[in-house]
mmCIF file of all heavy atoms in Angstrom:
data_model
loop_
_atom_site.group_PDB
_atom_site.id
_atom_site.type_symbol
_atom_site.label_atom_id
_atom_site.label_comp_id
_atom_site.label_asym_id
_atom_site.label_seq_id
_atom_site.Cartn_x
_atom_site.Cartn_y
_atom_site.Cartn_z
ATOM 1 N N ASN A 1533 15.978 8.427 24.482
ATOM 2 C CA ASN A 1533 15.939 7.091 23.954
ATOM 3 C C ASN A 1533 14.937 6.881 22.855
ATOM 4 O O ASN A 1533 15.110 5.954 22.023
ATOM 5 C CB ASN A 1533 15.707 6.043 25.116
ATOM 6 C CG ASN A 1533 16.952 5.632 25.760
ATOM 7 O OD1 ASN A 1533 17.780 4.828 25.275
ATOM 8 N ND2 ASN A 1533 17.167 6.145 27.023
ATOM 9 N N VAL A 1534 13.878 7.682 22.856
ATOM 10 C CA VAL A 1534 12.847 7.545 21.877
ATOM 11 C C VAL A 1534 12.963 8.454 20.698
ATOM 12 O O VAL A 1534 12.888 8.069 19.586
ATOM 13 C CB VAL A 1534 11.435 7.681 22.534
ATOM 14 C CG1 VAL A 1534 10.365 7.603 21.461
ATOM 15 C CG2 VAL A 1534 11.247 6.686 23.636
ATOM 16 N N PHE A 1535 13.305 9.732 20.970
ATOM 17 C CA PHE A 1535 13.294 10.745 19.910
ATOM 18 C C PHE A 1535 14.726 11.280 19.615
ATOM 19 O O PHE A 1535 14.896 11.989 18.638
ATOM 20 C CB PHE A 1535 12.521 11.969 20.381
ATOM 21 C CG PHE A 1535 11.037 11.638 20.521
ATOM 22 C CD1 PHE A 1535 10.464 11.298 21.786
ATOM 23 C CD2 PHE A 1535 10.181 11.655 19.410
ATOM 24 C CE1 PHE A 1535 9.130 10.945 21.882
ATOM 25 C CE2 PHE A 1535 8.838 11.351 19.513
ATOM 26 C CZ PHE A 1535 8.297 10.987 20.818
ATOM 27 N N GLY A 1536 15.734 10.901 20.381
ATOM 28 C CA GLY A 1536 17.102 11.401 20.225
ATOM 29 C C GLY A 1536 17.807 10.649 19.048
ATOM 30 O O GLY A 1536 17.381 9.609 18.564
ATOM 31 N N THR A 1537 18.927 11.203 18.664
ATOM 32 C CA THR A 1537 19.669 10.681 17.508
ATOM 33 C C THR A 1537 20.305 9.318 17.757
ATOM 34 O O THR A 1537 20.588 8.580 16.757
ATOM 35 C CB THR A 1537 20.764 11.654 17.119
ATOM 36 O OG1 THR A 1537 21.652 11.894 18.262
ATOM 37 C CG2 THR A 1537 20.207 13.015 16.660
ATOM 38 N N GLU A 1538 20.526 8.921 18.977
ATOM 39 C CA GLU A 1538 21.096 7.597 19.273
ATOM 40 C C GLU A 1538 19.999 6.664 19.575
ATOM 41 O O GLU A 1538 20.297 5.405 19.773
ATOM 42 C CB GLU A 1538 22.059 7.713 20.406
ATOM 43 C CG GLU A 1538 23.306 8.584 20.163
ATOM 44 C CD GLU A 1538 24.064 8.144 18.916
ATOM 45 O OE1 GLU A 1538 24.330 6.896 18.852
ATOM 46 O OE2 GLU A 1538 24.395 8.978 18.089
ATOM 47 N N GLY A 1539 18.778 7.038 19.740
ATOM 48 C CA GLY A 1539 17.664 6.150 20.106
ATOM 49 C C GLY A 1539 16.854 5.725 18.870
ATOM 50 O O GLY A 1539 17.354 5.480 17.802
ATOM 51 N N LEU A 1540 15.517 5.689 19.073
ATOM 52 C CA LEU A 1540 14.605 5.238 17.999
ATOM 53 C C LEU A 1540 14.480 6.320 16.908
ATOM 54 O O LEU A 1540 13.996 5.974 15.832
ATOM 55 C CB LEU A 1540 13.240 4.987 18.612
ATOM 56 C CG LEU A 1540 13.159 3.785 19.620
ATOM 57 C CD1 LEU A 1540 11.699 3.683 20.172
ATOM 58 C CD2 LEU A 1540 13.616 2.477 19.007
ATOM 59 N N ARG A 1541 14.880 7.562 17.150
ATOM 60 C CA ARG A 1541 14.825 8.557 16.189
ATOM 61 C C ARG A 1541 13.414 8.832 15.676
ATOM 62 O O ARG A 1541 13.224 9.203 14.487
ATOM 63 C CB ARG A 1541 15.774 8.324 15.068
ATOM 64 C CG ARG A 1541 17.258 8.112 15.453
ATOM 65 C CD ARG A 1541 18.162 7.847 14.297
ATOM 66 N NE ARG A 1541 18.228 8.921 13.369
ATOM 67 C CZ ARG A 1541 18.673 8.857 12.118
ATOM 68 N NH1 ARG A 1541 19.095 7.683 11.634
ATOM 69 N NH2 ARG A 1541 18.774 9.957 11.396
ATOM 70 N N TYR A 1542 12.445 8.688 16.508
ATOM 71 C CA TYR A 1542 11.042 8.982 16.132
ATOM 72 C C TYR A 1542 10.881 10.503 15.781
ATOM 73 O O TYR A 1542 11.463 11.364 16.384
ATOM 74 C CB TYR A 1542 10.098 8.655 17.282
ATOM 75 C CG TYR A 1542 9.723 7.260 17.459
ATOM 76 C CD1 TYR A 1542 8.911 6.837 18.488
ATOM 77 C CD2 TYR A 1542 10.257 6.273 16.638
ATOM 78 C CE1 TYR A 1542 8.551 5.519 18.667
ATOM 79 C CE2 TYR A 1542 9.923 4.945 16.830
ATOM 80 C CZ TYR A 1542 9.095 4.530 17.855
ATOM 81 O OH TYR A 1542 8.749 3.240 18.039
ATOM 82 N N THR A 1543 10.020 10.720 14.742
ATOM 83 C CA THR A 1543 9.736 12.107 14.373
ATOM 84 C C THR A 1543 8.181 12.364 14.336
ATOM 85 O O THR A 1543 7.820 13.406 13.844
ATOM 86 C CB THR A 1543 10.333 12.379 12.981
ATOM 87 O OG1 THR A 1543 9.837 11.435 11.981
ATOM 88 C CG2 THR A 1543 11.816 12.357 13.004
ATOM 89 N N LEU A 1544 7.412 11.343 14.712
ATOM 90 C CA LEU A 1544 5.937 11.435 14.697
ATOM 91 C C LEU A 1544 5.383 11.030 15.999
ATOM 92 O O LEU A 1544 5.910 10.146 16.695
ATOM 93 C CB LEU A 1544 5.418 10.551 13.548
ATOM 94 C CG LEU A 1544 5.783 10.932 12.173
ATOM 95 C CD1 LEU A 1544 5.417 9.807 11.193
ATOM 96 C CD2 LEU A 1544 5.030 12.214 11.684
ATOM 97 N N VAL A 1545 4.256 11.656 16.388
ATOM 98 C CA VAL A 1545 3.565 11.301 17.611
ATOM 99 C C VAL A 1545 2.065 11.204 17.326
ATOM 100 O O VAL A 1545 1.556 12.055 16.612
ATOM 101 C CB VAL A 1545 3.761 12.420 18.678
ATOM 102 C CG1 VAL A 1545 2.743 12.270 19.848
ATOM 103 C CG2 VAL A 1545 5.199 12.327 19.248
ATOM 104 N N ARG A 1546 1.428 10.208 17.770
ATOM 105 C CA ARG A 1546 -0.037 10.074 17.709
ATOM 106 C C ARG A 1546 -0.621 10.243 19.077
ATOM 107 O O ARG A 1546 -0.054 9.843 20.102
ATOM 108 C CB ARG A 1546 -0.422 8.691 17.179
ATOM 109 C CG ARG A 1546 -1.962 8.456 17.010
ATOM 110 C CD ARG A 1546 -2.163 7.118 16.310
ATOM 111 N NE ARG A 1546 -3.529 6.797 16.100
ATOM 112 C CZ ARG A 1546 -4.218 5.746 16.690
ATOM 113 N NH1 ARG A 1546 -3.547 5.018 17.596
ATOM 114 N NH2 ARG A 1546 -5.498 5.519 16.410
ATOM 115 N N THR A 1547 -1.764 10.934 19.131
ATOM 116 C CA THR A 1547 -2.469 11.099 20.472
ATOM 117 C C THR A 1547 -3.957 11.265 20.220
ATOM 118 O O THR A 1547 -4.421 11.446 19.005
ATOM 119 C CB THR A 1547 -1.925 12.298 21.257
ATOM 120 O OG1 THR A 1547 -2.425 12.167 22.678
ATOM 121 C CG2 THR A 1547 -2.419 13.633 20.756
ATOM 122 N N SER A 1548 -4.709 11.147 21.231
ATOM 123 C CA SER A 1548 -6.191 11.042 21.061
ATOM 124 C C SER A 1548 -6.812 12.420 21.240
ATOM 125 O O SER A 1548 -6.356 13.248 21.939
ATOM 126 C CB SER A 1548 -6.785 10.118 22.110
ATOM 127 O OG SER A 1548 -6.488 10.607 23.447
ATOM 128 N N ILE A 1549 -7.929 12.606 20.444
ATOM 129 C CA ILE A 1549 -8.807 13.752 20.680
ATOM 130 C C ILE A 1549 -9.771 13.372 21.845
ATOM 131 O O ILE A 1549 -10.552 12.422 21.654
ATOM 132 C CB ILE A 1549 -9.625 14.099 19.426
ATOM 133 C CG1 ILE A 1549 -8.636 14.648 18.355
ATOM 134 C CG2 ILE A 1549 -10.710 15.058 19.684
ATOM 135 C CD1 ILE A 1549 -9.272 14.962 17.058
ATOM 136 N N ASP A 1550 -9.703 14.037 22.956
ATOM 137 C CA ASP A 1550 -10.356 13.606 24.170
ATOM 138 C C ASP A 1550 -9.747 12.265 24.661
ATOM 139 O O ASP A 1550 -8.757 11.839 24.186
ATOM 140 C CB ASP A 1550 -11.842 13.581 24.008
ATOM 141 C CG ASP A 1550 -12.520 14.958 23.875
ATOM 142 O OD1 ASP A 1550 -11.872 15.943 24.385
ATOM 143 O OD2 ASP A 1550 -13.627 15.059 23.263
ATOM 144 N N SER A 1551 -10.445 11.606 25.564
ATOM 145 C CA SER A 1551 -9.845 10.402 26.231
ATOM 146 C C SER A 1551 -9.876 9.234 25.293
ATOM 147 O O SER A 1551 -10.701 9.121 24.337
ATOM 148 C CB SER A 1551 -10.533 10.155 27.545
ATOM 149 O OG SER A 1551 -11.920 9.820 27.251
ATOM 150 N N CYS A 1552 -8.960 8.272 25.586
ATOM 151 C CA CYS A 1552 -8.988 6.924 25.023
ATOM 152 C C CYS A 1552 -8.856 5.944 26.180
ATOM 153 O O CYS A 1552 -8.933 6.384 27.336
ATOM 154 C CB CYS A 1552 -7.828 6.792 23.983
ATOM 155 S SG CYS A 1552 -6.185 6.923 24.703
ATOM 156 N N ASP A 1553 -8.644 4.658 25.944
ATOM 157 C CA ASP A 1553 -8.546 3.738 27.050
ATOM 158 C C ASP A 1553 -7.267 3.992 27.916
ATOM 159 O O ASP A 1553 -7.250 3.836 29.068
ATOM 160 C CB ASP A 1553 -8.588 2.285 26.568
ATOM 161 C CG ASP A 1553 -7.625 1.972 25.452
ATOM 162 O OD1 ASP A 1553 -7.404 2.837 24.621
ATOM 163 O OD2 ASP A 1553 -7.148 0.826 25.415
ATOM 164 N N PHE A 1554 -6.173 4.513 27.158
ATOM 165 C CA PHE A 1554 -4.962 4.830 27.874
ATOM 166 C C PHE A 1554 -5.012 6.298 28.328
ATOM 167 O O PHE A 1554 -4.164 7.145 28.004
ATOM 168 C CB PHE A 1554 -3.723 4.533 27.015
ATOM 169 C CG PHE A 1554 -3.327 3.104 27.115
ATOM 170 C CD1 PHE A 1554 -3.808 2.186 26.210
ATOM 171 C CD2 PHE A 1554 -2.584 2.635 28.224
ATOM 172 C CE1 PHE A 1554 -3.460 0.834 26.275
ATOM 173 C CE2 PHE A 1554 -2.272 1.288 28.283
ATOM 174 C CZ PHE A 1554 -2.701 0.382 27.325
ATOM 175 N N SER A 1555 -6.056 6.550 29.136
ATOM 176 C CA SER A 1555 -6.248 7.806 29.840
ATOM 177 C C SER A 1555 -6.522 7.476 31.344
ATOM 178 O O SER A 1555 -6.897 6.325 31.628
ATOM 179 C CB SER A 1555 -7.414 8.650 29.277
ATOM 180 O OG SER A 1555 -7.181 8.906 27.941
ATOM 181 N N LEU A 1556 -6.366 8.448 32.170
ATOM 182 C CA LEU A 1556 -6.586 8.184 33.598
ATOM 183 C C LEU A 1556 -8.070 8.028 33.883
ATOM 184 O O LEU A 1556 -8.442 7.309 34.818
ATOM 185 C CB LEU A 1556 -6.031 9.298 34.453
ATOM 186 C CG LEU A 1556 -4.516 9.600 34.243
ATOM 187 C CD1 LEU A 1556 -4.108 10.791 35.144
ATOM 188 C CD2 LEU A 1556 -3.673 8.385 34.400
ATOM 189 N N SER A 1557 -8.862 8.657 33.060
ATOM 190 C CA SER A 1557 -10.398 8.606 33.196
ATOM 191 C C SER A 1557 -10.894 9.076 31.882
ATOM 192 O O SER A 1557 -10.158 9.572 31.050
ATOM 193 C CB SER A 1557 -10.859 9.433 34.395
ATOM 194 O OG SER A 1557 -10.593 10.831 34.093
ATOM 195 N N GLN A 1558 -12.227 8.929 31.719
ATOM 196 C CA GLN A 1558 -12.809 9.488 30.525
ATOM 197 C C GLN A 1558 -12.987 11.018 30.684
ATOM 198 O O GLN A 1558 -13.304 11.465 31.750
ATOM 199 C CB GLN A 1558 -14.184 8.823 30.271
ATOM 200 C CG GLN A 1558 -14.024 7.381 29.859
ATOM 201 C CD GLN A 1558 -15.378 6.781 29.347
ATOM 202 O OE1 GLN A 1558 -16.414 7.204 29.734
ATOM 203 N NE2 GLN A 1558 -15.208 5.766 28.491
ATOM 204 N N TYR A 1559 -12.715 11.690 29.554
ATOM 205 C CA TYR A 1559 -12.916 13.174 29.623
ATOM 206 C C TYR A 1559 -13.182 13.723 28.251
ATOM 207 O O TYR A 1559 -12.927 13.080 27.231
ATOM 208 C CB TYR A 1559 -11.584 13.857 30.196
ATOM 209 C CG TYR A 1559 -10.350 13.666 29.385
ATOM 210 C CD1 TYR A 1559 -10.083 14.501 28.315
ATOM 211 C CD2 TYR A 1559 -9.452 12.663 29.703
ATOM 212 C CE1 TYR A 1559 -8.959 14.378 27.575
ATOM 213 C CE2 TYR A 1559 -8.276 12.433 28.926
ATOM 214 C CZ TYR A 1559 -8.018 13.292 27.899
ATOM 215 O OH TYR A 1559 -6.853 13.146 27.166
ATOM 216 N N GLU A 1560 -13.754 14.881 28.251
ATOM 217 C CA GLU A 1560 -14.044 15.632 27.008
ATOM 218 C C GLU A 1560 -13.730 17.075 27.198
ATOM 219 O O GLU A 1560 -13.891 17.635 28.265
ATOM 220 C CB GLU A 1560 -15.605 15.480 26.692
ATOM 221 C CG GLU A 1560 -16.027 14.027 26.498
ATOM 222 C CD GLU A 1560 -17.532 13.791 26.539
ATOM 223 O OE1 GLU A 1560 -18.245 14.744 26.950
ATOM 224 O OE2 GLU A 1560 -17.941 12.696 26.193
ATOM 225 N N ALA A 1561 -13.270 17.753 26.112
ATOM 226 C CA ALA A 1561 -12.955 19.129 26.185
ATOM 227 C C ALA A 1561 -14.195 19.950 26.384
ATOM 228 O O ALA A 1561 -14.154 20.987 26.966
ATOM 229 C CB ALA A 1561 -12.209 19.565 24.965
ATOM 230 N N SER A 1562 -15.336 19.460 25.853
ATOM 231 C CA SER A 1562 -16.598 20.217 26.004
ATOM 232 C C SER A 1562 -17.716 19.190 25.997
ATOM 233 O O SER A 1562 -17.899 18.406 25.065
ATOM 234 C CB SER A 1562 -16.812 21.136 24.829
ATOM 235 O OG SER A 1562 -17.991 21.889 24.977
ATOM 236 N N SER A 1563 -18.426 19.051 27.115
ATOM 237 C CA SER A 1563 -19.370 17.996 27.345
ATOM 238 C C SER A 1563 -20.841 18.347 27.178
ATOM 239 O O SER A 1563 -21.737 17.579 27.486
ATOM 240 C CB SER A 1563 -19.211 17.406 28.812
ATOM 241 O OG SER A 1563 -17.854 16.841 28.921
ATOM 242 N N ALA A 1564 -21.049 19.489 26.680
ATOM 243 C CA ALA A 1564 -22.479 19.902 26.394
ATOM 244 C C ALA A 1564 -22.478 21.005 25.307
ATOM 245 O O ALA A 1564 -21.427 21.729 25.166
ATOM 246 C CB ALA A 1564 -23.103 20.442 27.663
ATOM 247 N N PRO A 1565 -23.549 21.108 24.543
ATOM 248 C CA PRO A 1565 -23.604 22.195 23.527
ATOM 249 C C PRO A 1565 -23.302 23.555 24.165
ATOM 250 O O PRO A 1565 -23.938 23.933 25.142
ATOM 251 C CB PRO A 1565 -25.006 22.060 23.008
ATOM 252 C CG PRO A 1565 -25.468 20.645 23.253
ATOM 253 C CD PRO A 1565 -24.803 20.335 24.568
#
Side-chain angles (χ1 to χ4, degrees):
N1533 272 287
V1534 178
F1535 295 94
T1537 56
E1538 298 302 314
L1540 297 177
R1541 302 179 66 196
Y1542 281 179
T1543 58
L1544 295 166
V1545 165
R1546 181 174 181 246
T1547 196
S1548 60
I1549 291 177
D1550 290 336
S1551 61
C1552 64
D1553 52 325
F1554 278 94
S1555 300
L1556 304 182
S1557 63
Q1558 292 191 330
Y1559 63 85
E1560 298 165 350
S1562 181
S1563 296

